[in-house]
Amino acid sequence: MANSSASKFPLARAVLGRVYVVLFATAVFLICAASFGLNLKFEGVKEDIYAANSNFKIFLKERASIINNELRLIEIYIDAPEFDANVIFDFAVKNNNEYMAFFVVNERGEIEFVSDENLRDTYSAFFLSKPWENEPEDKILRSEFMFDKSDVPTRLVAKKMKNGKMVVTLIRFTAIYEEFARGYERIGVNSFAIDKSGRIVFHQNPELVLERKNIFDLYDVDVDYLDSDEVKFANLGSLNSEIYYIQRVPGIGLAVVSSYSMGKFVKENLIFLLICVAFLAAGAIFTIRYVKFVKNSVIKPVLSIKNLVAKAGDGEEIKTYAKFGSVEEFDQISDEIVKFYRDFGEKKAKFEEYSRKFGFLFEKGPFVLLLIDAKSGKIVEASARACEFYGFSEEAIKSKNLAELNASNLTDMKTLQEDEGEIYETNHFVAGGEIKQVRIYKQNYELSNGEKIGFCVVKDITKSNTLKKNAQKQSEIDAHSPLFSVVWKDRFIGDISSVSDNIERALGYKKSEIFSKEFEFKNIIHPDDRDRLANEFNIKFSLFNAASLKKENESLQSCRLIRKNLEVINCSVFIKFISKDGRTVDEVIGYFIESKLAANLTAKTGMEIARLNDSKEYAYKNTILSLFANAQEAVAVVGLDGVFLDANEAFCKMSGYSKEEAIGKPSNLLKSGVHNAKFYEHMWQSLLTKGFYSREIYNKRKNGEIYLEQLDIATVYSGSKPSYFVAAFHELPWREPEANTDESKAKEQE
């Protein structure tokens, strides 16, 4: 009897079926959780690979850009009067140990000048072959990489000048090795570089470089591997398996390869993997033991009791069946049932007494009270407050069933308590079809006549739930907002007067830490961005003070911030000037938006944002054009090669040249002839060494008229390197130029 097969009884099948479903769902959940965790970690590795690859692409492009700009500047100096090649080239070599030598080569391929005479014979044949004879003027030209029995590659970079000659530099690329090493220490991803034929030219293992190894020797890549944009696996399943990603660097004939060892991934996540295996093993053991426990300790006793009840219904003696072991505590259970009914009787008597004493609560009390038939749910009594709450008369509400008031399905009800009394939340209809959220406290009682009633206290929670949801929603919005703000007094990156509430999530610092005397905001700006950001702000600040039409909101170039945990985040920056009197700045508000989150909000892909960030035109328009569009002063933007990039209307009015006539022309378009060559040489040196230049200067309009103006020029930096110049002019009352004063004034300014 007690050992009967469970398959013969619906109750046993239902219980076991639910047990199996719960255990199966638990196992599936554990497996999914482990898979999800591993996927998150793997996605983190992919993000590190993308970040390392992108960093090195940017680094290589910047290195190429620096060399290009260096050659263009040298060309300017070479064209200048009294050109001293030894001084210029010695200065360049001493200030950058990667420059091995400089050459000046004529149109016949002959070396006219070399900064290191020991190299003349080595490269004479190369230049006499005229490798770049048919290349256009002003194009930056590069040779193949040369190793010369060393693991550090060298390369010739040349620029064809307007006079037909070429200025060439021989570069040793040691900084690229150093950057790869720093990148590995910072991110943990190995990176190296290959040329357009796949040959390895930079690698932490010098043997691969010296042995002239190719990318095909390392990975089984496709022919069009440079056009792929996916992270791929190499040697999957072996001990030296890797995850790698290859992207070309446009314009310089290189591609960056970033890789991450699968062995390293397993080692770093070994504890997590062991925990997952342990949980799965424990789940399997628990499943086997729990099924056995349910069969022996739940199913069999329930079947035994069911059998006892059936025999008792047939009039058989059941005492003998109560001794089979499965129901040894049957007498104890019976005693507990008797005790329960005795306690229930006492509670029922107290309830009837309370009903007699406090019946007025139904008539004048402030509570929404309902008495219902416990079996049918029909409302048998309702307080005056209940009639008012539901909008029904006493007769109308008594004609209803409690289920008729429900505006929710049974499955949507939220049960809070189920022991002696029920507490649950649901939605109820009131008169007119309006729906209110209610919490019901229900207790069933048995009256003296055997009738069972339900005593219900109904509480309106519509307003409290709405407030709770709104508060929760606002909290979530604030917690995940990609924008945080900092307010400074008087100037940018000065004393902080306030910050937004989500500053700790964004930067990791508490408000108390930010307002402490030890904290300085400039220290969390990446060192490579600090000077450039301050310089750009100073330009906008000056134009705000000079312009009659004030622009309160401005955008700055994006910058990198260092969180408390030393994580570097890239942020878009916007500033707002606060001026109470419309003239002086009282406060500056900085709005920072994490670029990664902002990218998701604007639905741009990572590649699109990278292209925008890489675009000089985009960066230029966002940093400069918005500054001087409405300025009353004449403002112009000049490239490192001295060519006008843009100008505002005030500049056109002062000089007489239209924008179309000025843009693309050299800045000596305004040269008056009053100043000598040393005057302009000093100007360039001041801009490149100090970052600014300010002085009175005589310029010439388009109609030939010479006029006196105050000239202020600021250098705009990209990282630590100059990118372009912003010049502001305003005309001064005419004064005859003094003879031979340029050199003395230049020395005074120094």
Side-chain angles (χ1 to χ4, degrees), residues 43-63:
E43 288 297 324
V45 170
K46 288 175 62 177
E47 289 297 327
D48 289 342
I49 292 175
Y50 284 130
N53 197 279
S54 178
N55 288 342
F56 292 130
K57 281 174 57 183
I58 293 172
F59 175 78
L60 292 175
K61 289 172 67 177
E62 287 180 347
R63 294 294 306 161

Side-chain angles (χ1 to χ4, degrees), residues 207-226:
E207 294 182 2
L208 297 178
V209 179
L210 295 176
E211 293 174 5
R212 305 175 69 84
K213 292 291 185 180
N214 197 285
I215 188 67
F216 298 97
D217 297 325
L218 300 184
Y219 305 128
D220 185 19
V221 297
D222 299 326
V223 176
D224 59 346
Y225 67 95
L226 287 176

Side-chain angles (χ1 to χ4, degrees), residues 606-669:
M607 291 300 295
E608 287 173 331
I609 293 174
R611 285 197 296 270
L612 287 176
N613 288 338
D614 289 344
S615 169
K616 291 184 178 179
E617 180 181 2
Y618 174 83
Y620 164 70
K621 287 183 178 178
N622 277 278
T623 56
I624 299 302
L625 289 180
S626 60
L627 295 178
F628 60 82
N630 298 308
Q632 299 302 307
E633 280 191 321
V635 182
V637 181
V638 182
L640 295 179
D641 55 0
V643 172
F644 283 117
L645 300 179
D646 209 342
N648 67 353
E649 291 299 325
F651 172 86
C652 296
K653 291 179 180 179
M654 179 182 292
S655 67
Y657 291 97
S658 66
K659 292 181 67 173
E660 292 75 13
E661 292 172 323
I663 294 174
K665 300 297 190 301
S667 55
N668 60 15
L669 181 72

Side-chain angles (χ1 to χ4, degrees), residues 693-704:
Y693 180 82
S694 177
R695 191 180 165 185
E696 295 180 0
I697 184 173
Y698 288 90
N699 272 341
K700 183 170 64 175
R701 307 187 209 274
K702 181 180 179 181
N703 61 9

Side-chain angles (χ1 to χ4, degrees), residues 525-537:
I525 300 176
H526 195 282
D528 292 345
D529 297 345
R530 196 175 297 156
D531 293 340
R532 186 260 303 159
L533 193 67
N535 191 13
E536 186 181 351
F537 170 80

Side-chain angles (χ1 to χ4, degrees), residues 104-112 123-133 160 163-166:
V104 176
V105 182
N106 62 26
E107 295 175 331
R108 297 185 299 277
E110 299 169 342
I111 299 176
E112 291 187 350
Y123 294 97
S124 292
F126 174 80
F127 290 123
L128 287 173
S129 67
K130 300 180 182 180
W132 299 303
E133 182 176 9
K160 187 176 291 186
N163 58 12
K165 297 181 181 181
M166 299 185 70

